[in-house]
Short mmCIF file of all heavy atoms in Angstrom, two decimals:
data_model
loop_
_atom_site.label_atom_id
_atom_site.label_comp_id
_atom_site.label_asym_id
_atom_site.label_seq_id
_atom_site.Cartn_x
_atom_site.Cartn_y
_atom_site.Cartn_z
N GLY A 540 96.12 114.31 94.64
CA GLY A 540 96.45 114.70 93.27
C GLY A 540 95.50 115.74 92.71
O GLY A 540 94.48 116.08 93.31
N THR A 541 95.87 116.24 91.54
CA THR A 541 95.05 117.23 90.88
C THR A 541 94.51 116.69 89.58
O THR A 541 95.11 115.85 88.93
CB THR A 541 95.87 118.50 90.59
OG1 THR A 541 97.01 118.14 89.80
CG2 THR A 541 96.32 119.16 91.87
N GLY A 542 93.35 117.19 89.20
CA GLY A 542 92.67 116.72 88.00
C GLY A 542 91.17 116.89 88.09
O GLY A 542 90.43 116.50 87.19
N ASP A 543 90.71 117.45 89.23
CA ASP A 543 89.28 117.70 89.44
C ASP A 543 88.43 116.44 89.39
O ASP A 543 87.26 116.49 89.02
CB ASP A 543 88.75 118.72 88.42
CG ASP A 543 89.18 120.14 88.75
OD1 ASP A 543 89.18 120.49 89.93
OD2 ASP A 543 89.51 120.89 87.80
N GLU A 544 88.99 115.30 89.74
CA GLU A 544 88.20 114.07 89.80
C GLU A 544 87.32 114.09 91.05
O GLU A 544 87.78 114.45 92.13
CB GLU A 544 89.10 112.84 89.85
CG GLU A 544 89.80 112.52 88.55
CD GLU A 544 90.53 111.19 88.61
OE1 GLU A 544 91.02 110.82 89.69
OE2 GLU A 544 90.60 110.53 87.58
N ASP A 545 86.06 113.68 90.89
CA ASP A 545 85.17 113.63 92.05
C ASP A 545 84.32 112.37 92.09
O ASP A 545 83.72 112.08 93.14
CB ASP A 545 84.28 114.87 92.12
CG ASP A 545 83.49 115.08 90.85
OD1 ASP A 545 83.55 114.23 89.94
OD2 ASP A 545 82.78 116.11 90.77
N VAL A 546 84.24 111.63 90.99
CA VAL A 546 83.44 110.40 90.99
C VAL A 546 84.29 109.19 90.67
O VAL A 546 83.79 108.07 90.59
CB VAL A 546 82.28 110.49 89.97
CG1 VAL A 546 81.30 111.57 90.37
CG2 VAL A 546 82.80 110.73 88.56
N SER A 547 85.57 109.38 90.46
CA SER A 547 86.48 108.28 90.18
C SER A 547 87.84 108.63 90.76
O SER A 547 88.06 109.74 91.25
CB SER A 547 86.59 108.04 88.67
OG SER A 547 87.12 109.18 88.01
N CYS A 548 88.75 107.67 90.71
CA CYS A 548 90.09 107.87 91.25
C CYS A 548 91.07 107.14 90.35
O CYS A 548 91.04 105.91 90.27
CB CYS A 548 90.15 107.34 92.68
SG CYS A 548 91.56 107.97 93.64
N SER A 549 91.92 107.88 89.66
CA SER A 549 92.74 107.27 88.61
C SER A 549 94.23 107.50 88.79
O SER A 549 94.99 107.37 87.84
CB SER A 549 92.31 107.82 87.24
OG SER A 549 92.54 109.22 87.16
N ILE A 550 94.68 107.86 90.00
CA ILE A 550 96.11 108.05 90.21
C ILE A 550 96.60 107.17 91.34
O ILE A 550 95.82 106.71 92.18
CB ILE A 550 96.46 109.52 90.50
CG1 ILE A 550 95.89 109.94 91.86
CG2 ILE A 550 95.99 110.45 89.42
CD1 ILE A 550 96.48 111.23 92.38
N VAL A 551 97.89 106.95 91.36
CA VAL A 551 98.53 106.23 92.45
C VAL A 551 99.64 107.09 93.02
O VAL A 551 100.18 107.94 92.30
CB VAL A 551 99.10 104.87 91.98
CG1 VAL A 551 97.99 103.96 91.50
CG2 VAL A 551 100.14 105.05 90.88
N PRO A 552 99.92 106.92 94.30
CA PRO A 552 99.43 105.89 95.23
C PRO A 552 98.06 106.20 95.86
O PRO A 552 97.51 105.33 96.52
CB PRO A 552 100.50 105.88 96.32
CG PRO A 552 101.66 106.62 95.82
CD PRO A 552 101.11 107.62 94.86
N ALA A 553 97.52 107.39 95.69
CA ALA A 553 96.33 107.80 96.43
C ALA A 553 95.15 106.85 96.26
O ALA A 553 94.39 106.62 97.20
CB ALA A 553 95.92 109.21 96.02
N CYS A 554 95.00 106.29 95.07
CA CYS A 554 93.81 105.47 94.79
C CYS A 554 93.99 104.00 95.15
O CYS A 554 93.11 103.19 94.86
CB CYS A 554 93.44 105.60 93.31
SG CYS A 554 93.06 107.29 92.82
N ILE A 555 95.11 103.64 95.73
CA ILE A 555 95.33 102.26 96.15
C ILE A 555 94.45 101.96 97.36
O ILE A 555 94.58 102.61 98.39
CB ILE A 555 96.80 102.00 96.48
CG1 ILE A 555 97.69 102.29 95.27
CG2 ILE A 555 97.00 100.57 96.96
CD1 ILE A 555 99.17 102.16 95.55
N GLN A 556 93.57 101.03 97.23
CA GLN A 556 92.71 100.65 98.33
C GLN A 556 93.42 99.61 99.19
O GLN A 556 93.38 98.42 98.93
CB GLN A 556 91.38 100.09 97.80
CG GLN A 556 90.57 101.09 97.00
CD GLN A 556 90.16 102.30 97.84
OE1 GLN A 556 89.57 102.16 98.90
NE2 GLN A 556 90.47 103.48 97.34
N SER A 557 94.10 100.08 100.20
CA SER A 557 94.89 99.20 101.06
C SER A 557 94.97 99.83 102.45
O SER A 557 94.95 101.05 102.60
CB SER A 557 96.29 99.00 100.49
OG SER A 557 97.07 98.16 101.33
N ASP A 558 95.09 98.99 103.47
CA ASP A 558 95.16 99.51 104.85
C ASP A 558 96.38 100.38 105.07
O ASP A 558 96.39 101.19 106.00
CB ASP A 558 95.18 98.33 105.85
CG ASP A 558 93.85 97.61 105.92
OD1 ASP A 558 92.82 98.23 105.57
OD2 ASP A 558 93.83 96.44 106.33
N ASN A 559 97.41 100.21 104.25
CA ASN A 559 98.64 100.96 104.49
C ASN A 559 98.79 102.18 103.59
O ASN A 559 99.90 102.67 103.37
CB ASN A 559 99.87 100.05 104.32
CG ASN A 559 100.10 99.62 102.88
OD1 ASN A 559 99.15 99.42 102.13
ND2 ASN A 559 101.35 99.48 102.50
N VAL A 560 97.68 102.70 103.06
CA VAL A 560 97.72 103.91 102.23
C VAL A 560 96.69 104.91 102.76
O VAL A 560 95.53 104.57 102.94
CB VAL A 560 97.43 103.61 100.75
CG1 VAL A 560 97.41 104.90 99.93
CG2 VAL A 560 98.49 102.66 100.18
N ILE A 561 97.13 106.14 103.01
CA ILE A 561 96.26 107.23 103.40
C ILE A 561 96.33 108.29 102.32
O ILE A 561 97.41 108.77 101.99
CB ILE A 561 96.68 107.84 104.75
CG1 ILE A 561 96.52 106.80 105.87
CG2 ILE A 561 95.86 109.08 105.07
CD1 ILE A 561 97.04 107.30 107.22
N SER A 562 95.18 108.67 101.77
CA SER A 562 95.12 109.67 100.71
C SER A 562 94.65 111.00 101.29
O SER A 562 93.68 111.06 102.06
CB SER A 562 94.16 109.22 99.61
OG SER A 562 94.06 110.19 98.60
N VAL A 563 95.33 112.09 100.88
CA VAL A 563 95.10 113.40 101.49
C VAL A 563 94.59 114.40 100.45
O VAL A 563 95.23 114.63 99.42
CB VAL A 563 96.39 113.95 102.12
CG1 VAL A 563 96.12 115.28 102.82
CG2 VAL A 563 96.99 112.94 103.09
N VAL A 564 93.44 115.00 100.74
CA VAL A 564 92.85 116.06 99.91
C VAL A 564 93.38 117.41 100.40
O VAL A 564 93.59 117.61 101.59
CB VAL A 564 91.31 116.01 100.01
CG1 VAL A 564 90.68 117.26 99.43
CG2 VAL A 564 90.78 114.76 99.32
N ALA A 565 93.61 118.33 99.46
CA ALA A 565 94.13 119.66 99.82
C ALA A 565 92.99 120.66 99.97
O ALA A 565 92.09 120.73 99.13
CB ALA A 565 95.12 120.14 98.77
N LEU A 566 93.07 121.46 101.03
CA LEU A 566 92.07 122.47 101.33
C LEU A 566 92.70 123.86 101.39
O LEU A 566 93.91 124.01 101.52
CB LEU A 566 91.38 122.17 102.66
CG LEU A 566 90.72 120.80 102.82
CD1 LEU A 566 90.19 120.64 104.24
CD2 LEU A 566 89.61 120.61 101.81
N ASP A 567 91.85 124.87 101.29
CA ASP A 567 92.25 126.25 101.48
C ASP A 567 91.35 126.84 102.56
O ASP A 567 90.38 126.19 103.00
CB ASP A 567 92.12 127.03 100.17
CG ASP A 567 92.92 128.33 100.16
OD1 ASP A 567 93.42 128.71 101.24
OD2 ASP A 567 93.00 128.96 99.11
N HIS A 568 91.63 128.06 103.02
CA HIS A 568 90.80 128.67 104.04
C HIS A 568 90.85 130.18 103.91
O HIS A 568 91.78 130.76 103.35
CB HIS A 568 91.25 128.26 105.43
CG HIS A 568 92.63 128.74 105.79
ND1 HIS A 568 92.87 129.98 106.34
CD2 HIS A 568 93.85 128.17 105.65
CE1 HIS A 568 94.16 130.14 106.53
NE2 HIS A 568 94.78 129.07 106.11
N GLN A 569 89.83 130.80 104.45
CA GLN A 569 89.76 132.25 104.52
C GLN A 569 90.26 132.72 105.88
O GLN A 569 90.53 131.91 106.77
CB GLN A 569 88.31 132.72 104.28
CG GLN A 569 87.70 132.21 102.99
CD GLN A 569 88.51 132.61 101.77
OE1 GLN A 569 88.96 133.75 101.67
NE2 GLN A 569 88.68 131.68 100.84
N GLU A 570 90.35 134.03 106.07
CA GLU A 570 90.85 134.56 107.33
C GLU A 570 89.96 134.19 108.51
O GLU A 570 90.42 134.09 109.64
CB GLU A 570 90.98 136.08 107.24
CG GLU A 570 92.13 136.53 106.35
CD GLU A 570 92.37 138.02 106.46
OE1 GLU A 570 91.67 138.67 107.27
OE2 GLU A 570 93.23 138.54 105.73
N ASP A 571 88.67 133.98 108.25
CA ASP A 571 87.76 133.61 109.33
C ASP A 571 87.77 132.11 109.61
O ASP A 571 87.01 131.63 110.46
CB ASP A 571 86.34 134.08 109.03
CG ASP A 571 85.77 133.43 107.77
OD1 ASP A 571 86.49 132.64 107.10
OD2 ASP A 571 84.60 133.71 107.44
N GLY A 572 88.63 131.37 108.91
CA GLY A 572 88.73 129.93 109.12
C GLY A 572 87.81 129.11 108.25
O GLY A 572 87.83 127.88 108.33
N THR A 573 86.99 129.75 107.40
CA THR A 573 86.10 129.01 106.50
C THR A 573 86.92 128.17 105.53
O THR A 573 87.84 128.67 104.88
CB THR A 573 85.21 129.98 105.71
OG1 THR A 573 84.48 130.79 106.62
CG2 THR A 573 84.26 129.20 104.81
N LEU A 574 86.58 126.90 105.44
CA LEU A 574 87.34 125.96 104.62
C LEU A 574 86.75 125.85 103.22
O LEU A 574 85.54 125.98 103.02
CB LEU A 574 87.37 124.58 105.28
CG LEU A 574 88.06 124.49 106.64
CD1 LEU A 574 87.84 123.11 107.25
CD2 LEU A 574 89.54 124.79 106.52
N SER A 575 87.61 125.54 102.26
CA SER A 575 87.17 125.28 100.90
C SER A 575 88.15 124.30 100.27
O SER A 575 89.27 124.10 100.76
CB SER A 575 87.13 126.57 100.07
OG SER A 575 88.42 127.17 99.99
N ILE A 576 87.73 123.67 99.19
CA ILE A 576 88.59 122.72 98.48
C ILE A 576 89.58 123.50 97.62
O ILE A 576 89.20 124.42 96.90
CB ILE A 576 87.75 121.77 97.61
CG1 ILE A 576 86.82 120.94 98.49
CG2 ILE A 576 88.65 120.85 96.78
CD1 ILE A 576 85.77 120.16 97.71
N LEU A 577 90.84 123.16 97.71
CA LEU A 577 91.85 123.83 96.89
C LEU A 577 91.54 123.56 95.43
O LEU A 577 91.36 122.40 95.03
CB LEU A 577 93.24 123.31 97.25
CG LEU A 577 94.42 124.07 96.64
CD1 LEU A 577 94.50 125.48 97.22
CD2 LEU A 577 95.72 123.33 96.90
N PRO A 578 91.45 124.59 94.60
CA PRO A 578 91.08 124.38 93.18
C PRO A 578 91.96 123.33 92.51
O PRO A 578 93.18 123.35 92.62
CB PRO A 578 91.30 125.77 92.56
CG PRO A 578 91.11 126.72 93.70
CD PRO A 578 91.66 126.02 94.91
N GLY A 579 91.29 122.42 91.82
CA GLY A 579 91.99 121.39 91.06
C GLY A 579 92.19 120.08 91.77
O GLY A 579 92.41 119.05 91.13
N THR A 580 92.11 120.08 93.12
CA THR A 580 92.39 118.84 93.83
C THR A 580 91.32 117.79 93.58
O THR A 580 90.13 118.10 93.44
CB THR A 580 92.51 119.10 95.34
OG1 THR A 580 92.96 117.91 96.00
CG2 THR A 580 91.19 119.51 95.94
N ASN A 581 91.73 116.55 93.53
CA ASN A 581 90.79 115.44 93.40
C ASN A 581 90.08 115.23 94.74
O ASN A 581 90.70 115.39 95.79
CB ASN A 581 91.52 114.16 93.00
CG ASN A 581 92.18 114.27 91.65
OD1 ASN A 581 91.69 114.95 90.76
ND2 ASN A 581 93.32 113.60 91.49
N ILE A 582 88.83 114.87 94.68
CA ILE A 582 88.06 114.66 95.90
C ILE A 582 87.23 113.39 95.76
O ILE A 582 87.16 112.78 94.70
CB ILE A 582 87.13 115.86 96.20
CG1 ILE A 582 86.13 116.06 95.05
CG2 ILE A 582 87.94 117.12 96.45
CD1 ILE A 582 85.08 117.14 95.34
N GLY A 583 86.57 113.00 96.85
CA GLY A 583 85.70 111.84 96.86
C GLY A 583 85.84 111.08 98.16
O GLY A 583 86.90 110.50 98.44
N ALA A 584 84.80 111.12 98.99
CA ALA A 584 84.86 110.46 100.30
C ALA A 584 85.06 108.96 100.18
O ALA A 584 85.54 108.33 101.12
CB ALA A 584 83.58 110.76 101.08
N ALA A 585 84.72 108.39 99.03
CA ALA A 585 84.90 106.96 98.84
C ALA A 585 86.36 106.59 98.59
O ALA A 585 86.73 105.42 98.69
CB ALA A 585 84.03 106.48 97.68
N PHE A 586 87.19 107.58 98.24
CA PHE A 586 88.57 107.30 97.85
C PHE A 586 89.61 107.89 98.80
O PHE A 586 90.68 107.30 98.98
CB PHE A 586 88.84 107.85 96.45
CG PHE A 586 87.77 107.58 95.45
CD1 PHE A 586 86.98 108.60 94.95
CD2 PHE A 586 87.52 106.29 95.02
CE1 PHE A 586 85.98 108.36 94.03
CE2 PHE A 586 86.52 106.02 94.11
CZ PHE A 586 85.75 107.06 93.61
N HIS A 587 89.31 109.04 99.40
CA HIS A 587 90.32 109.78 100.15
C HIS A 587 89.93 109.87 101.62
O HIS A 587 88.78 110.19 101.95
CB HIS A 587 90.50 111.16 99.55
CG HIS A 587 90.70 111.15 98.07
ND1 HIS A 587 91.80 110.57 97.49
CD2 HIS A 587 89.92 111.60 97.04
CE1 HIS A 587 91.71 110.69 96.16
NE2 HIS A 587 90.57 111.30 95.88
N GLU A 588 90.90 109.62 102.50
CA GLU A 588 90.61 109.52 103.92
C GLU A 588 90.43 110.86 104.62
O GLU A 588 89.55 111.01 105.47
CB GLU A 588 91.72 108.72 104.63
CG GLU A 588 91.61 107.22 104.49
CD GLU A 588 92.08 106.74 103.13
OE1 GLU A 588 92.79 107.51 102.45
OE2 GLU A 588 91.74 105.61 102.75
N ILE A 589 91.28 111.82 104.30
CA ILE A 589 91.30 113.03 105.12
C ILE A 589 91.82 114.21 104.32
O ILE A 589 92.47 114.04 103.28
CB ILE A 589 92.17 112.81 106.39
CG1 ILE A 589 91.86 113.85 107.46
CG2 ILE A 589 93.66 112.78 106.03
CD1 ILE A 589 92.34 113.47 108.83
N GLY A 590 91.51 115.41 104.80
CA GLY A 590 92.01 116.62 104.17
C GLY A 590 93.00 117.34 105.07
O GLY A 590 93.05 117.14 106.28
N ALA A 591 93.82 118.17 104.44
CA ALA A 591 94.75 119.04 105.16
C ALA A 591 94.91 120.31 104.34
O ALA A 591 94.73 120.29 103.12
CB ALA A 591 96.09 118.36 105.37
N ILE A 592 95.22 121.39 105.00
CA ILE A 592 95.42 122.65 104.27
C ILE A 592 96.69 122.55 103.45
O ILE A 592 97.76 122.21 103.97
CB ILE A 592 95.48 123.83 105.25
CG1 ILE A 592 94.11 124.01 105.92
CG2 ILE A 592 95.89 125.11 104.52
CD1 ILE A 592 94.08 125.04 107.01
N GLY A 593 96.56 122.82 102.16
CA GLY A 593 97.71 122.74 101.26
C GLY A 593 97.95 124.05 100.55
O GLY A 593 98.70 124.08 99.57
N ALA A 594 97.34 125.13 101.01
CA ALA A 594 97.45 126.42 100.34
C ALA A 594 98.46 127.32 101.03
O ALA A 594 98.36 127.57 102.24
CB ALA A 594 96.08 127.11 100.30
N ASP A 595 99.43 127.79 100.26
CA ASP A 595 100.36 128.82 100.72
C ASP A 595 101.05 128.46 102.04
O ASP A 595 101.10 129.26 102.97
CB ASP A 595 99.63 130.15 100.87
CG ASP A 595 98.96 130.58 99.58
OD1 ASP A 595 99.67 130.72 98.57
OD2 ASP A 595 97.72 130.75 99.58
N LEU A 596 101.59 127.27 102.09
CA LEU A 596 102.33 126.86 103.27
C LEU A 596 103.80 127.27 103.14
O LEU A 596 104.43 127.02 102.11
CB LEU A 596 102.24 125.34 103.47
CG LEU A 596 100.83 124.80 103.74
CD1 LEU A 596 100.86 123.30 103.94
CD2 LEU A 596 100.19 125.49 104.93
N VAL A 597 104.32 127.89 104.16
CA VAL A 597 105.69 128.39 104.13
C VAL A 597 106.64 127.30 104.59
O VAL A 597 106.43 126.66 105.62
CB VAL A 597 105.83 129.63 105.03
CG1 VAL A 597 107.29 130.07 105.12
CG2 VAL A 597 104.97 130.77 104.50
N ALA A 598 107.72 127.10 103.82
CA ALA A 598 108.72 126.08 104.13
C ALA A 598 110.00 126.42 103.38
O ALA A 598 110.01 127.32 102.53
CB ALA A 598 108.20 124.70 103.75
N PRO A 599 111.10 125.71 103.65
CA PRO A 599 112.33 125.97 102.92
C PRO A 599 112.17 125.77 101.41
O PRO A 599 111.47 124.86 100.96
CB PRO A 599 113.30 124.93 103.50
CG PRO A 599 112.79 124.66 104.88
CD PRO A 599 111.29 124.75 104.76
N VAL A 600 112.83 126.64 100.65
CA VAL A 600 112.91 126.50 99.19
C VAL A 600 114.36 126.69 98.79
O VAL A 600 115.22 127.02 99.62
CB VAL A 600 111.99 127.51 98.46
CG1 VAL A 600 110.53 127.21 98.73
CG2 VAL A 600 112.31 128.94 98.88
N ALA A 601 114.64 126.47 97.53
CA ALA A 601 116.02 126.50 97.06
C ALA A 601 116.69 127.84 97.34
O ALA A 601 116.04 128.88 97.44
CB ALA A 601 116.06 126.20 95.56
N GLY A 602 118.02 127.79 97.48
CA GLY A 602 118.79 129.00 97.72
C GLY A 602 118.79 129.43 99.16
O GLY A 602 118.96 130.62 99.45
N ASP A 603 118.60 128.47 100.10
CA ASP A 603 118.57 128.79 101.53
C ASP A 603 117.48 129.79 101.87
O ASP A 603 117.61 130.55 102.84
CB ASP A 603 119.93 129.32 102.00
CG ASP A 603 120.96 128.20 102.13
OD1 ASP A 603 120.57 127.03 102.04
OD2 ASP A 603 122.15 128.52 102.30
N GLN A 604 116.38 129.81 101.09
CA GLN A 604 115.29 130.73 101.35
C GLN A 604 114.09 130.00 101.92
O GLN A 604 114.06 128.78 102.04
CB GLN A 604 114.90 131.43 100.04
CG GLN A 604 115.98 132.32 99.46
CD GLN A 604 115.53 133.00 98.18
OE1 GLN A 604 114.82 132.43 97.36
NE2 GLN A 604 115.94 134.25 98.01
N MET A 605 113.07 130.78 102.29
CA MET A 605 111.78 130.27 102.69
C MET A 605 110.74 130.84 101.74
O MET A 605 110.89 131.95 101.23
CB MET A 605 111.45 130.70 104.13
CG MET A 605 112.43 130.22 105.18
SD MET A 605 112.31 128.46 105.50
CE MET A 605 110.76 128.40 106.40
#
Side-chain angles (χ1 to χ4, degrees):
T541 57
D543 284 321
E544 287 187 328
D545 55 4
V546 295
S547 62
C548 198
S549 63
I550 67 165
V551 296
C554 300
I555 301 176
Q556 298 298 306
S557 179
D558 290 338
N559 69 325
V560 177
I561 296 175
S562 178
V563 183
V564 167
L566 304 176
D567 198 351
H568 65 86
Q569 305 302 317
E570 289 188 3
D571 62 358
T573 303
L574 297 172
S575 60
I576 298 169
L577 190 67
T580 187
N581 298 327
I582 60 174
F586 315 111
H587 310 295
E588 280 77 18
I589 198 162
I592 294 174
D595 303 302
L596 296 181
V597 174
V600 293
D603 285 350
Q604 296 181 322
M605 300 288 288

